[in-house]
Amino acid sequence: MSRGVIIGLFSALVLAQIATPLSMIAKRESILKEGEQFKFKTAPYDPYDAFRGRYISLRLDEDKVPKDPGVSYERGQKVYAHVAVDDQGFARLTGISKDIPKGTPYIIARFWYSHGKEASLDLPIDRYYMEEKAAPEAEKVYRQYTDRRKKNRQDAYVLVRVKDGRVAIEGFYVGGQKIEDVVREARIKGLL
């Protein structure tokens, strides 16, 4: 191979390596800027494996989705989860389809399994990334706010933007405040 061909191939490789992450960043920013906003309630997820690195593992409070029993899906199949907002302002998944729904917000997901008229999905709302040192403290705060044994339990929710089925998490809230602010206040008060 000539030197010019090698340099051309190397240049193409470098451009691809730069273009890929820039494209990913641009897509996420586009969703955050132009996407429709939804608020999903969350529930604590596996207390022994809540963190893997620098993120909080999330699970939607209502993670079962109604499905038509006459339609079959295969595990891992791409589906469209229909989104609606309830009277308290929280988003709910109201159904799934194999085709993009018209006139209804939707999230692209993967079918996991079904039981009767309900389906479980692998949704792209499963991780909230944080600063590494704050993650363990955030886990403690999250568990305190969502402890089902407490009478004054405060719900946690994740605020997401959805555009063309793609999702970008905007913030994670406990007790009506961003988790980062709650952790900072708990540090100041000496609770963590």
mmCIF file of all heavy atoms in Angstrom, residues 59-109:
data_model
loop_
_atom_site.group_PDB
_atom_site.id
_atom_site.type_symbol
_atom_site.label_atom_id
_atom_site.label_comp_id
_atom_site.label_asym_id
_atom_site.label_seq_id
_atom_site.Cartn_x
_atom_site.Cartn_y
_atom_site.Cartn_z
ATOM 1 N N ARG A 59 -35.638 1.988 38.618
ATOM 2 C CA ARG A 59 -36.713 1.132 38.147
ATOM 3 C C ARG A 59 -37.985 1.946 38.263
ATOM 4 O O ARG A 59 -38.224 2.576 39.296
ATOM 5 C CB ARG A 59 -36.824 -0.134 39.003
ATOM 6 C CG ARG A 59 -37.897 -1.089 38.517
ATOM 7 C CD ARG A 59 -37.943 -2.360 39.349
ATOM 8 N NE ARG A 59 -38.299 -2.128 40.723
ATOM 9 C CZ ARG A 59 -39.544 -2.017 41.181
ATOM 10 N NH1 ARG A 59 -40.566 -2.101 40.360
ATOM 11 N NH2 ARG A 59 -39.778 -1.825 42.457
ATOM 12 N N LEU A 60 -38.788 1.963 37.217
ATOM 13 C CA LEU A 60 -40.038 2.705 37.283
ATOM 14 C C LEU A 60 -40.953 2.054 38.305
ATOM 15 O O LEU A 60 -40.982 0.826 38.431
ATOM 16 C CB LEU A 60 -40.718 2.758 35.920
ATOM 17 C CG LEU A 60 -39.955 3.474 34.808
ATOM 18 C CD1 LEU A 60 -40.809 3.565 33.555
ATOM 19 C CD2 LEU A 60 -39.507 4.851 35.238
ATOM 20 N N ASP A 61 -41.712 2.875 39.029
ATOM 21 C CA ASP A 61 -42.605 2.378 40.061
ATOM 22 C C ASP A 61 -43.623 1.410 39.466
ATOM 23 O O ASP A 61 -43.900 0.362 40.031
ATOM 24 C CB ASP A 61 -43.304 3.561 40.738
ATOM 25 C CG ASP A 61 -43.941 3.185 42.055
ATOM 26 O OD1 ASP A 61 -43.519 2.187 42.670
ATOM 27 O OD2 ASP A 61 -44.857 3.896 42.494
ATOM 28 N N GLU A 62 -44.186 1.782 38.355
ATOM 29 C CA GLU A 62 -45.138 0.910 37.667
ATOM 30 C C GLU A 62 -44.444 0.398 36.419
ATOM 31 O O GLU A 62 -44.532 1.001 35.351
ATOM 32 C CB GLU A 62 -46.402 1.685 37.329
ATOM 33 C CG GLU A 62 -47.142 2.152 38.571
ATOM 34 C CD GLU A 62 -48.418 2.892 38.233
ATOM 35 O OE1 GLU A 62 -48.955 2.728 37.120
ATOM 36 O OE2 GLU A 62 -48.887 3.638 39.093
ATOM 37 N N ASP A 63 -43.764 -0.729 36.562
ATOM 38 C CA ASP A 63 -42.956 -1.211 35.445
ATOM 39 C C ASP A 63 -43.653 -2.261 34.583
ATOM 40 O O ASP A 63 -43.062 -2.788 33.658
ATOM 41 C CB ASP A 63 -41.605 -1.732 35.941
ATOM 42 C CG ASP A 63 -41.749 -2.893 36.918
ATOM 43 O OD1 ASP A 63 -42.879 -3.197 37.334
ATOM 44 O OD2 ASP A 63 -40.723 -3.488 37.263
ATOM 45 N N LYS A 64 -44.897 -2.565 34.874
ATOM 46 C CA LYS A 64 -45.669 -3.483 34.035
ATOM 47 C C LYS A 64 -46.511 -2.655 33.071
ATOM 48 O O LYS A 64 -47.070 -1.633 33.435
ATOM 49 C CB LYS A 64 -46.581 -4.373 34.886
ATOM 50 C CG LYS A 64 -45.836 -5.211 35.905
ATOM 51 C CD LYS A 64 -45.038 -6.298 35.242
ATOM 52 C CE LYS A 64 -44.435 -7.210 36.277
ATOM 53 N NZ LYS A 64 -43.017 -7.230 36.320
ATOM 54 N N VAL A 65 -46.583 -3.117 31.830
ATOM 55 C CA VAL A 65 -47.291 -2.393 30.788
ATOM 56 C C VAL A 65 -48.427 -3.269 30.267
ATOM 57 O O VAL A 65 -48.211 -4.453 29.994
ATOM 58 C CB VAL A 65 -46.326 -2.073 29.616
ATOM 59 C CG1 VAL A 65 -47.037 -1.312 28.522
ATOM 60 C CG2 VAL A 65 -45.134 -1.309 30.117
ATOM 61 N N PRO A 66 -49.646 -2.711 30.129
ATOM 62 C CA PRO A 66 -50.725 -3.511 29.549
ATOM 63 C C PRO A 66 -50.384 -3.896 28.104
ATOM 64 O O PRO A 66 -49.797 -3.112 27.368
ATOM 65 C CB PRO A 66 -51.929 -2.571 29.574
ATOM 66 C CG PRO A 66 -51.553 -1.420 30.427
ATOM 67 C CD PRO A 66 -50.071 -1.364 30.478
ATOM 68 N N LYS A 67 -50.732 -5.126 27.729
ATOM 69 C CA LYS A 67 -50.507 -5.557 26.351
ATOM 70 C C LYS A 67 -51.709 -6.334 25.854
ATOM 71 O O LYS A 67 -52.432 -6.950 26.632
ATOM 72 C CB LYS A 67 -49.228 -6.378 26.233
ATOM 73 C CG LYS A 67 -49.347 -7.838 26.534
ATOM 74 C CD LYS A 67 -48.085 -8.571 26.102
ATOM 75 C CE LYS A 67 -48.259 -10.054 26.065
ATOM 76 N NZ LYS A 67 -49.190 -10.586 25.103
ATOM 77 N N ASP A 68 -51.890 -6.302 24.577
ATOM 78 C CA ASP A 68 -52.962 -7.054 23.937
ATOM 79 C C ASP A 68 -52.596 -8.538 23.989
ATOM 80 O O ASP A 68 -51.563 -8.940 23.437
ATOM 81 C CB ASP A 68 -53.099 -6.579 22.487
ATOM 82 C CG ASP A 68 -54.234 -7.250 21.743
ATOM 83 O OD1 ASP A 68 -54.831 -8.194 22.280
ATOM 84 O OD2 ASP A 68 -54.516 -6.822 20.616
ATOM 85 N N PRO A 69 -53.421 -9.386 24.641
ATOM 86 C CA PRO A 69 -53.067 -10.803 24.750
ATOM 87 C C PRO A 69 -53.043 -11.528 23.400
ATOM 88 O O PRO A 69 -52.432 -12.585 23.270
ATOM 89 C CB PRO A 69 -54.137 -11.387 25.670
ATOM 90 C CG PRO A 69 -55.228 -10.389 25.734
ATOM 91 C CD PRO A 69 -54.669 -9.069 25.325
ATOM 92 N N GLY A 70 -53.650 -10.948 22.375
ATOM 93 C CA GLY A 70 -53.665 -11.566 21.066
ATOM 94 C C GLY A 70 -52.406 -11.317 20.246
ATOM 95 O O GLY A 70 -52.224 -11.890 19.173
ATOM 96 N N VAL A 71 -51.516 -10.466 20.748
ATOM 97 C CA VAL A 71 -50.283 -10.134 20.026
ATOM 98 C C VAL A 71 -49.101 -10.766 20.756
ATOM 99 O O VAL A 71 -48.972 -10.656 21.965
ATOM 100 C CB VAL A 71 -50.086 -8.596 19.943
ATOM 101 C CG1 VAL A 71 -48.807 -8.252 19.196
ATOM 102 C CG2 VAL A 71 -51.286 -7.936 19.293
ATOM 103 N N SER A 72 -48.257 -11.451 19.991
ATOM 104 C CA SER A 72 -47.091 -12.084 20.618
ATOM 105 C C SER A 72 -45.823 -11.287 20.292
ATOM 106 O O SER A 72 -45.709 -10.676 19.233
ATOM 107 C CB SER A 72 -46.941 -13.527 20.152
ATOM 108 O OG SER A 72 -46.712 -13.576 18.764
ATOM 109 N N TYR A 73 -44.910 -11.318 21.233
ATOM 110 C CA TYR A 73 -43.638 -10.626 21.107
ATOM 111 C C TYR A 73 -42.530 -11.601 21.468
ATOM 112 O O TYR A 73 -42.733 -12.528 22.244
ATOM 113 C CB TYR A 73 -43.570 -9.423 22.061
ATOM 114 C CG TYR A 73 -44.603 -8.358 21.787
ATOM 115 C CD1 TYR A 73 -45.838 -8.391 22.417
ATOM 116 C CD2 TYR A 73 -44.332 -7.318 20.917
ATOM 117 C CE1 TYR A 73 -46.787 -7.409 22.175
ATOM 118 C CE2 TYR A 73 -45.274 -6.339 20.670
ATOM 119 C CZ TYR A 73 -46.497 -6.385 21.302
ATOM 120 O OH TYR A 73 -47.431 -5.411 21.062
ATOM 121 N N GLU A 74 -41.361 -11.350 20.930
ATOM 122 C CA GLU A 74 -40.200 -12.163 21.264
ATOM 123 C C GLU A 74 -39.295 -11.377 22.201
ATOM 124 O O GLU A 74 -39.185 -10.155 22.091
ATOM 125 C CB GLU A 74 -39.419 -12.530 19.998
ATOM 126 C CG GLU A 74 -40.156 -13.471 19.087
ATOM 127 C CD GLU A 74 -39.324 -13.860 17.879
ATOM 128 O OE1 GLU A 74 -38.076 -13.869 17.990
ATOM 129 O OE2 GLU A 74 -39.928 -14.141 16.837
ATOM 130 N N ARG A 75 -38.632 -12.091 23.097
ATOM 131 C CA ARG A 75 -37.710 -11.442 24.026
ATOM 132 C C ARG A 75 -36.638 -10.674 23.246
ATOM 133 O O ARG A 75 -36.052 -11.188 22.304
ATOM 134 C CB ARG A 75 -37.058 -12.484 24.916
ATOM 135 C CG ARG A 75 -36.237 -11.878 26.007
ATOM 136 C CD ARG A 75 -35.655 -12.958 26.884
ATOM 137 N NE ARG A 75 -35.068 -12.345 28.043
ATOM 138 C CZ ARG A 75 -35.047 -12.860 29.237
ATOM 139 N NH1 ARG A 75 -35.587 -14.039 29.438
ATOM 140 N NH2 ARG A 75 -34.487 -12.238 30.224
ATOM 141 N N GLY A 76 -36.421 -9.415 23.627
ATOM 142 C CA GLY A 76 -35.438 -8.579 22.963
ATOM 143 C C GLY A 76 -35.978 -7.818 21.766
ATOM 144 O O GLY A 76 -35.270 -6.988 21.195
ATOM 145 N N GLN A 77 -37.224 -8.082 21.395
ATOM 146 C CA GLN A 77 -37.818 -7.408 20.236
ATOM 147 C C GLN A 77 -38.029 -5.926 20.522
ATOM 148 O O GLN A 77 -38.431 -5.529 21.615
ATOM 149 C CB GLN A 77 -39.167 -8.057 19.902
ATOM 150 C CG GLN A 77 -39.891 -7.428 18.746
ATOM 151 C CD GLN A 77 -41.214 -8.145 18.447
ATOM 152 O OE1 GLN A 77 -41.544 -9.154 19.034
ATOM 153 N NE2 GLN A 77 -41.967 -7.588 17.518
ATOM 154 N N LYS A 78 -37.762 -5.088 19.543
ATOM 155 C CA LYS A 78 -37.986 -3.647 19.660
ATOM 156 C C LYS A 78 -39.489 -3.384 19.673
ATOM 157 O O LYS A 78 -40.229 -3.888 18.823
ATOM 158 C CB LYS A 78 -37.336 -2.942 18.473
ATOM 159 C CG LYS A 78 -37.476 -1.453 18.456
ATOM 160 C CD LYS A 78 -36.708 -0.929 17.256
ATOM 161 C CE LYS A 78 -36.963 0.496 16.954
ATOM 162 N NZ LYS A 78 -36.176 0.974 15.811
ATOM 163 N N VAL A 79 -39.937 -2.610 20.677
ATOM 164 C CA VAL A 79 -41.342 -2.247 20.789
ATOM 165 C C VAL A 79 -41.448 -0.759 21.081
ATOM 166 O O VAL A 79 -40.459 -0.103 21.419
ATOM 167 C CB VAL A 79 -42.071 -3.056 21.890
ATOM 168 C CG1 VAL A 79 -42.126 -4.530 21.543
ATOM 169 C CG2 VAL A 79 -41.442 -2.837 23.251
ATOM 170 N N TYR A 80 -42.663 -0.246 20.977
ATOM 171 C CA TYR A 80 -42.932 1.160 21.244
ATOM 172 C C TYR A 80 -43.886 1.235 22.435
ATOM 173 O O TYR A 80 -45.026 0.785 22.354
ATOM 174 C CB TYR A 80 -43.528 1.826 20.001
ATOM 175 C CG TYR A 80 -42.603 1.713 18.824
ATOM 176 C CD1 TYR A 80 -42.711 0.651 17.927
ATOM 177 C CD2 TYR A 80 -41.579 2.635 18.633
ATOM 178 C CE1 TYR A 80 -41.821 0.530 16.864
ATOM 179 C CE2 TYR A 80 -40.697 2.518 17.574
ATOM 180 C CZ TYR A 80 -40.824 1.461 16.697
ATOM 181 O OH TYR A 80 -39.943 1.341 15.650
ATOM 182 N N ALA A 81 -43.402 1.769 23.555
ATOM 183 C CA ALA A 81 -44.198 1.900 24.775
ATOM 184 C C ALA A 81 -44.934 3.233 24.735
ATOM 185 O O ALA A 81 -44.310 4.290 24.641
ATOM 186 C CB ALA A 81 -43.298 1.819 26.005
ATOM 187 N N HIS A 82 -46.249 3.187 24.826
ATOM 188 C CA HIS A 82 -47.081 4.380 24.749
ATOM 189 C C HIS A 82 -47.061 5.103 26.098
ATOM 190 O O HIS A 82 -47.173 4.471 27.149
ATOM 191 C CB HIS A 82 -48.515 4.011 24.402
ATOM 192 C CG HIS A 82 -48.617 3.128 23.191
ATOM 193 N ND1 HIS A 82 -49.824 2.716 22.686
ATOM 194 C CD2 HIS A 82 -47.676 2.572 22.395
ATOM 195 C CE1 HIS A 82 -49.614 1.947 21.626
ATOM 196 N NE2 HIS A 82 -48.322 1.847 21.443
ATOM 197 N N VAL A 83 -46.957 6.428 26.070
ATOM 198 C CA VAL A 83 -46.849 7.231 27.282
ATOM 199 C C VAL A 83 -48.060 8.156 27.404
ATOM 200 O O VAL A 83 -48.462 8.796 26.431
ATOM 201 C CB VAL A 83 -45.557 8.086 27.270
ATOM 202 C CG1 VAL A 83 -45.432 8.900 28.540
ATOM 203 C CG2 VAL A 83 -44.325 7.211 27.060
ATOM 204 N N ALA A 84 -48.621 8.219 28.621
ATOM 205 C CA ALA A 84 -49.698 9.158 28.932
ATOM 206 C C ALA A 84 -49.398 9.765 30.301
ATOM 207 O O ALA A 84 -48.640 9.201 31.085
ATOM 208 C CB ALA A 84 -51.047 8.445 28.947
ATOM 209 N N VAL A 85 -50.003 10.902 30.581
ATOM 210 C CA VAL A 85 -49.790 11.585 31.859
ATOM 211 C C VAL A 85 -51.073 11.493 32.678
ATOM 212 O O VAL A 85 -52.159 11.773 32.180
ATOM 213 C CB VAL A 85 -49.390 13.061 31.623
ATOM 214 C CG1 VAL A 85 -49.227 13.796 32.950
ATOM 215 C CG2 VAL A 85 -48.114 13.137 30.810
ATOM 216 N N ASP A 86 -50.942 11.089 33.969
ATOM 217 C CA ASP A 86 -52.114 10.967 34.834
ATOM 218 C C ASP A 86 -52.506 12.318 35.412
ATOM 219 O O ASP A 86 -51.852 13.340 35.161
ATOM 220 C CB ASP A 86 -51.895 9.909 35.928
ATOM 221 C CG ASP A 86 -50.822 10.273 36.948
ATOM 222 O OD1 ASP A 86 -50.441 11.465 37.050
ATOM 223 O OD2 ASP A 86 -50.352 9.369 37.660
ATOM 224 N N ASP A 87 -53.553 12.332 36.232
ATOM 225 C CA ASP A 87 -54.073 13.592 36.776
ATOM 226 C C ASP A 87 -53.142 14.235 37.809
ATOM 227 O O ASP A 87 -53.320 15.389 38.168
ATOM 228 C CB ASP A 87 -55.469 13.396 37.362
ATOM 229 C CG ASP A 87 -55.518 12.325 38.446
ATOM 230 O OD1 ASP A 87 -54.517 11.613 38.666
ATOM 231 O OD2 ASP A 87 -56.588 12.194 39.074
ATOM 232 N N GLN A 88 -52.118 13.508 38.283
ATOM 233 C CA GLN A 88 -51.140 14.078 39.216
ATOM 234 C C GLN A 88 -49.878 14.554 38.501
ATOM 235 O O GLN A 88 -48.919 14.970 39.141
ATOM 236 C CB GLN A 88 -50.781 13.049 40.282
ATOM 237 C CG GLN A 88 -51.953 12.682 41.167
ATOM 238 C CD GLN A 88 -51.579 11.625 42.186
ATOM 239 O OE1 GLN A 88 -50.548 10.973 42.080
ATOM 240 N NE2 GLN A 88 -52.424 11.462 43.182
ATOM 241 N N GLY A 89 -49.856 14.440 37.176
ATOM 242 C CA GLY A 89 -48.724 14.924 36.394
ATOM 243 C C GLY A 89 -47.621 13.904 36.174
ATOM 244 O O GLY A 89 -46.574 14.243 35.635
ATOM 245 N N PHE A 90 -47.858 12.647 36.566
ATOM 246 C CA PHE A 90 -46.851 11.611 36.368
ATOM 247 C C PHE A 90 -47.148 10.816 35.111
ATOM 248 O O PHE A 90 -48.300 10.545 34.770
ATOM 249 C CB PHE A 90 -46.790 10.667 37.569
ATOM 250 C CG PHE A 90 -46.154 11.291 38.769
ATOM 251 C CD1 PHE A 90 -46.937 11.838 39.775
ATOM 252 C CD2 PHE A 90 -44.775 11.354 38.886
ATOM 253 C CE1 PHE A 90 -46.355 12.434 40.880
ATOM 254 C CE2 PHE A 90 -44.185 11.948 39.984
ATOM 255 C CZ PHE A 90 -44.971 12.492 40.984
ATOM 256 N N ALA A 91 -46.088 10.440 34.435
ATOM 257 C CA ALA A 91 -46.217 9.661 33.201
ATOM 258 C C ALA A 91 -46.457 8.198 33.549
ATOM 259 O O ALA A 91 -45.969 7.691 34.559
ATOM 260 C CB ALA A 91 -44.966 9.806 32.356
ATOM 261 N N ARG A 92 -47.200 7.539 32.678
ATOM 262 C CA ARG A 92 -47.472 6.105 32.810
ATOM 263 C C ARG A 92 -47.357 5.474 31.438
ATOM 264 O O ARG A 92 -47.657 6.103 30.429
ATOM 265 C CB ARG A 92 -48.876 5.868 33.330
ATOM 266 C CG ARG A 92 -49.142 6.459 34.684
ATOM 267 C CD ARG A 92 -50.524 6.128 35.098
ATOM 268 N NE ARG A 92 -50.603 4.673 35.171
ATOM 269 C CZ ARG A 92 -51.382 4.003 35.976
ATOM 270 N NH1 ARG A 92 -52.174 4.645 36.772
ATOM 271 N NH2 ARG A 92 -51.395 2.707 35.990
ATOM 272 N N LEU A 93 -46.929 4.235 31.418
ATOM 273 C CA LEU A 93 -46.910 3.487 30.174
ATOM 274 C C LEU A 93 -48.275 2.821 30.038
ATOM 275 O O LEU A 93 -48.702 2.083 30.927
ATOM 276 C CB LEU A 93 -45.782 2.456 30.194
ATOM 277 C CG LEU A 93 -44.383 3.048 30.395
ATOM 278 C CD1 LEU A 93 -43.332 1.955 30.481
ATOM 279 C CD2 LEU A 93 -44.043 4.017 29.283
ATOM 280 N N THR A 94 -48.949 3.097 28.930
ATOM 281 C CA THR A 94 -50.332 2.641 28.777
ATOM 282 C C THR A 94 -50.490 1.475 27.822
ATOM 283 O O THR A 94 -51.582 0.934 27.697
ATOM 284 C CB THR A 94 -51.221 3.798 28.303
ATOM 285 O OG1 THR A 94 -50.709 4.287 27.048
ATOM 286 C CG2 THR A 94 -51.241 4.919 29.328
ATOM 287 N N GLY A 95 -49.441 1.091 27.143
ATOM 288 C CA GLY A 95 -49.522 -0.029 26.216
ATOM 289 C C GLY A 95 -48.270 -0.121 25.370
ATOM 290 O O GLY A 95 -47.378 0.730 25.478
ATOM 291 N N ILE A 96 -48.209 -1.164 24.556
ATOM 292 C CA ILE A 96 -47.075 -1.338 23.644
ATOM 293 C C ILE A 96 -47.587 -1.720 22.266
ATOM 294 O O ILE A 96 -48.699 -2.218 22.116
ATOM 295 C CB ILE A 96 -46.069 -2.407 24.139
ATOM 296 C CG1 ILE A 96 -46.738 -3.776 24.295
ATOM 297 C CG2 ILE A 96 -45.406 -1.974 25.411
ATOM 298 C CD1 ILE A 96 -45.765 -4.899 24.614
ATOM 299 N N SER A 97 -46.746 -1.466 21.281
ATOM 300 C CA SER A 97 -47.074 -1.857 19.911
ATOM 301 C C SER A 97 -45.793 -2.177 19.157
ATOM 302 O O SER A 97 -44.709 -1.793 19.571
ATOM 303 C CB SER A 97 -47.847 -0.741 19.205
ATOM 304 O OG SER A 97 -47.074 0.434 19.136
ATOM 305 N N LYS A 98 -45.965 -2.880 18.047
ATOM 306 C CA LYS A 98 -44.827 -3.218 17.197
ATOM 307 C C LYS A 98 -44.509 -2.081 16.233
ATOM 308 O O LYS A 98 -43.415 -2.011 15.693
ATOM 309 C CB LYS A 98 -45.109 -4.497 16.415
ATOM 310 C CG LYS A 98 -45.197 -5.728 17.290
ATOM 311 C CD LYS A 98 -45.459 -6.972 16.455
ATOM 312 C CE LYS A 98 -45.524 -8.206 17.338
ATOM 313 N NZ LYS A 98 -45.722 -9.426 16.555
ATOM 314 N N ASP A 99 -45.494 -1.212 16.030
ATOM 315 C CA ASP A 99 -45.332 -0.094 15.101
ATOM 316 C C ASP A 99 -45.380 1.227 15.863
ATOM 317 O O ASP A 99 -45.995 1.326 16.924
ATOM 318 C CB ASP A 99 -46.442 -0.115 14.053
ATOM 319 C CG ASP A 99 -46.405 -1.387 13.214
ATOM 320 O OD1 ASP A 99 -45.305 -1.770 12.778
ATOM 321 O OD2 ASP A 99 -47.475 -1.997 13.023
ATOM 322 N N ILE A 100 -44.776 2.249 15.287
ATOM 323 C CA ILE A 100 -44.778 3.578 15.898
ATOM 324 C C ILE A 100 -46.227 4.072 15.996
ATOM 325 O O ILE A 100 -46.935 4.113 14.996
ATOM 326 C CB ILE A 100 -43.941 4.571 15.074
ATOM 327 C CG1 ILE A 100 -42.471 4.146 15.065
ATOM 328 C CG2 ILE A 100 -44.089 5.988 15.606
ATOM 329 C CD1 ILE A 100 -41.587 4.973 14.156
ATOM 330 N N PRO A 101 -46.671 4.423 17.225
ATOM 331 C CA PRO A 101 -48.043 4.928 17.358
ATOM 332 C C PRO A 101 -48.166 6.337 16.798
ATOM 333 O O PRO A 101 -47.246 7.129 16.891
ATOM 334 C CB PRO A 101 -48.282 4.895 18.876
ATOM 335 C CG PRO A 101 -46.927 4.989 19.474
ATOM 336 C CD PRO A 101 -45.975 4.348 18.499
ATOM 337 N N LYS A 102 -49.310 6.622 16.249
ATOM 338 C CA LYS A 102 -49.564 7.956 15.697
ATOM 339 C C LYS A 102 -50.338 8.779 16.732
ATOM 340 O O LYS A 102 -51.305 8.318 17.301
ATOM 341 C CB LYS A 102 -50.363 7.841 14.412
ATOM 342 C CG LYS A 102 -49.581 7.189 13.293
ATOM 343 C CD LYS A 102 -50.372 7.237 12.004
ATOM 344 C CE LYS A 102 -49.767 6.640 10.813
ATOM 345 N NZ LYS A 102 -48.662 6.067 10.565
ATOM 346 N N GLY A 103 -49.869 10.006 16.981
ATOM 347 C CA GLY A 103 -50.562 10.913 17.883
ATOM 348 C C GLY A 103 -50.375 10.612 19.360
ATOM 349 O O GLY A 103 -51.052 11.203 20.191
ATOM 350 N N THR A 104 -49.486 9.700 19.696
ATOM 351 C CA THR A 104 -49.232 9.334 21.089
ATOM 352 C C THR A 104 -47.738 9.375 21.349
ATOM 353 O O THR A 104 -46.978 8.795 20.572
ATOM 354 C CB THR A 104 -49.744 7.901 21.373
ATOM 355 O OG1 THR A 104 -51.136 7.848 21.103
ATOM 356 C CG2 THR A 104 -49.490 7.492 22.803
ATOM 357 N N PRO A 105 -47.307 10.009 22.422
ATOM 358 C CA PRO A 105 -45.877 9.947 22.749
ATOM 359 C C PRO A 105 -45.480 8.489 23.017
ATOM 360 O O PRO A 105 -46.285 7.706 23.534
ATOM 361 C CB PRO A 105 -45.752 10.783 24.023
ATOM 362 C CG PRO A 105 -46.998 11.583 24.111
ATOM 363 C CD PRO A 105 -48.049 10.830 23.383
ATOM 364 N N TYR A 106 -44.254 8.142 22.694
ATOM 365 C CA TYR A 106 -43.812 6.761 22.873
ATOM 366 C C TYR A 106 -42.322 6.727 23.193
ATOM 367 O O TYR A 106 -41.591 7.673 22.935
ATOM 368 C CB TYR A 106 -44.097 5.937 21.622
ATOM 369 C CG TYR A 106 -43.354 6.412 20.394
ATOM 370 C CD1 TYR A 106 -42.123 5.865 20.045
ATOM 371 C CD2 TYR A 106 -43.882 7.416 19.586
ATOM 372 C CE1 TYR A 106 -41.434 6.314 18.934
ATOM 373 C CE2 TYR A 106 -43.202 7.870 18.470
ATOM 374 C CZ TYR A 106 -41.977 7.315 18.148
ATOM 375 O OH TYR A 106 -41.289 7.766 17.055
ATOM 376 N N ILE A 107 -41.920 5.595 23.773
ATOM 377 C CA ILE A 107 -40.523 5.341 24.091
ATOM 378 C C ILE A 107 -40.116 4.041 23.420
ATOM 379 O O ILE A 107 -40.827 3.034 23.527
ATOM 380 C CB ILE A 107 -40.311 5.229 25.615
ATOM 381 C CG1 ILE A 107 -40.616 6.565 26.290
ATOM 382 C CG2 ILE A 107 -38.892 4.766 25.942
ATOM 383 C CD1 ILE A 107 -40.606 6.505 27.809
ATOM 384 N N ILE A 108 -38.995 4.051 22.743
ATOM 385 C CA ILE A 108 -38.476 2.829 22.133
ATOM 386 C C ILE A 108 -37.890 1.967 23.249
ATOM 387 O O ILE A 108 -37.079 2.433 24.045
ATOM 388 C CB ILE A 108 -37.401 3.144 21.077
ATOM 389 C CG1 ILE A 108 -38.004 3.991 19.949
ATOM 390 C CG2 ILE A 108 -36.796 1.856 20.531
ATOM 391 C CD1 ILE A 108 -36.973 4.552 18.976
ATOM 392 N N ALA A 109 -38.335 0.723 23.325
ATOM 393 C CA ALA A 109 -37.903 -0.190 24.380
ATOM 394 C C ALA A 109 -37.690 -1.577 23.782
ATOM 395 O O ALA A 109 -37.895 -1.791 22.590
ATOM 396 C CB ALA A 109 -38.953 -0.245 25.486
#
